[in-house]
Amino acid sequence: MKNFKLILMVILCITWISSQAQTWSITHNVAAGEKIAANVLLGEEISLINEQKHLVDELRVVEQDYDSRRKLNSNFKSLPMMIATIGAIEFSEKQINEIEEKIKDLKGKRLYTKLRLKEHEVNLTDEKRYLQEIKSEYTFLLTAISLSGGPGYNYSAFLKVLIRTLKIRRNILLIEYKVNNLITQSNNIKR
């Protein structure tokens, strides 16, 4: 750093001395003005380089601070999001099992009910497959937590899984609503 400042000072001194020597020998005022403008611009360039160096030093300090916070125990600050995610997955699986039982009970009923149940059964199978994919992604996130980028990364990753789980759960609730309506219709037709 000291060498850089020393070289910079020598260049500035040589430039100033040469501009002074040339200005004394030049009688043309426009040329002298252009040389002065060039020297001013050179000074601005040097100040910009110093400012960039200062900003790079600040960035290095911020990166060191961030790296010092990346610890295994800091990953567990995302624990509430992890618990909410696994709770939503398990509750959705339980709900799917209950709906499958209702569909099995309804299959012995009337033909009209069987035809309408087939669509709900296919949709429920799709949602079950999606939920299994999310569950495997969740277990992968749990195993990779020690290697991850920190608490903010884990929170975001588990939040994304939770949002996807809630979308699937919304579809499961819609299927359950439609199956319950078929049960009610079937019971009303019996009467």
Side-chain angles (χ1 to χ4, degrees):
M1 181 63 196
K2 291 182 180 183
N3 291 339
F4 178 74
K5 286 183 181 179
L6 183 64
I7 292 171
L8 187 60
M9 291 300 291
V10 168
I11 290 173
L12 282 175
C13 288
I14 291 172
T15 305
W16 183 75
I17 290 170
S18 69
S19 69
Q20 290 298 321
Q22 291 172 1
T23 307
W24 291 329
S25 66
I26 295 177
T27 57
H28 198 276
N29 293 333
V30 176
E34 288 177 357
K35 286 185 181 189
I36 291 173
N39 287 338
V40 169
L41 290 175
L42 181 62
E44 287 180 14
E45 186 74 26
I46 292 170
S47 68
L48 287 175
I49 289 172
N50 287 337
E51 185 178 340
Q52 285 178 347
K53 184 200 165 298
H54 176 70
L55 290 174
V56 167
D57 290 341
E58 285 181 4
L59 180 64
R60 192 172 293 125
V61 168
V62 170
E63 286 176 347
Q64 288 172 351
D65 181 44
Y66 181 74
D67 285 342
S68 68
R69 285 193 244 156
R70 287 179 63 179
K71 298 176 187 169
L72 182 61
N73 61 357
S74 66
N75 287 333
F76 293 103
K77 293 178 183 175
S78 303
L79 194 63
M81 188 58 64
M82 290 191 241
I83 292 171
T85 305
I86 193 64
I89 290 172
E90 289 178 357
F91 185 74
S92 298
E93 285 179 336
K94 181 181 172 188
Q95 221 168 7
I96 286 175
N97 293 335
E98 290 174 0
I99 295 170
E100 286 176 339
E101 289 298 319
K102 289 179 183 178
I103 289 175
K104 284 180 185 176
D105 291 343
L106 275 175
K107 278 192 174 180
K109 308 290 178 172
R110 303 184 181 278
L111 179 65
Y112 169 77
T113 308
K114 284 183 186 178
L115 293 175
R116 298 202 48 207
L117 267 180
K118 190 64 178 169
E119 176 188 347
H120 301 314
E121 193 173 18
V122 168
N123 290 342
L124 189 64
T125 305
D126 289 342
E127 297 302 327
K128 188 174 185 178
R129 189 183 80 235
Y130 298 150
L131 194 63
Q132 288 304 318
E133 289 173 5
I134 286 180
K135 192 172 184 179
S136 67
E137 186 176 329
Y138 179 81
T139 54
F140 173 75
L141 286 174
L142 282 179
T143 56
I145 194 169
S146 62
L147 304 173
S148 70
Y153 169 79
N154 289 327
Y155 184 85
S156 299
F158 286 111
L159 180 63
K160 288 177 184 178
V161 172
L162 179 63
I163 289 171
R164 288 175 48 207
T165 304
L166 292 178
K167 287 179 182 177
I168 290 173
R169 198 158 157 241
R170 179 188 65 209
N171 294 338
I172 292 170
L173 288 172
L174 183 64
I175 293 170
E176 183 180 30
Y177 174 75
K178 290 178 180 179
V179 168
N180 286 339
N181 281 344
L182 286 176
I183 291 173
T184 305
Q185 288 175 2
S186 177
N187 289 340
N188 287 341
I189 290 174
K190 274 186 177 179
R191 290 181 194 173

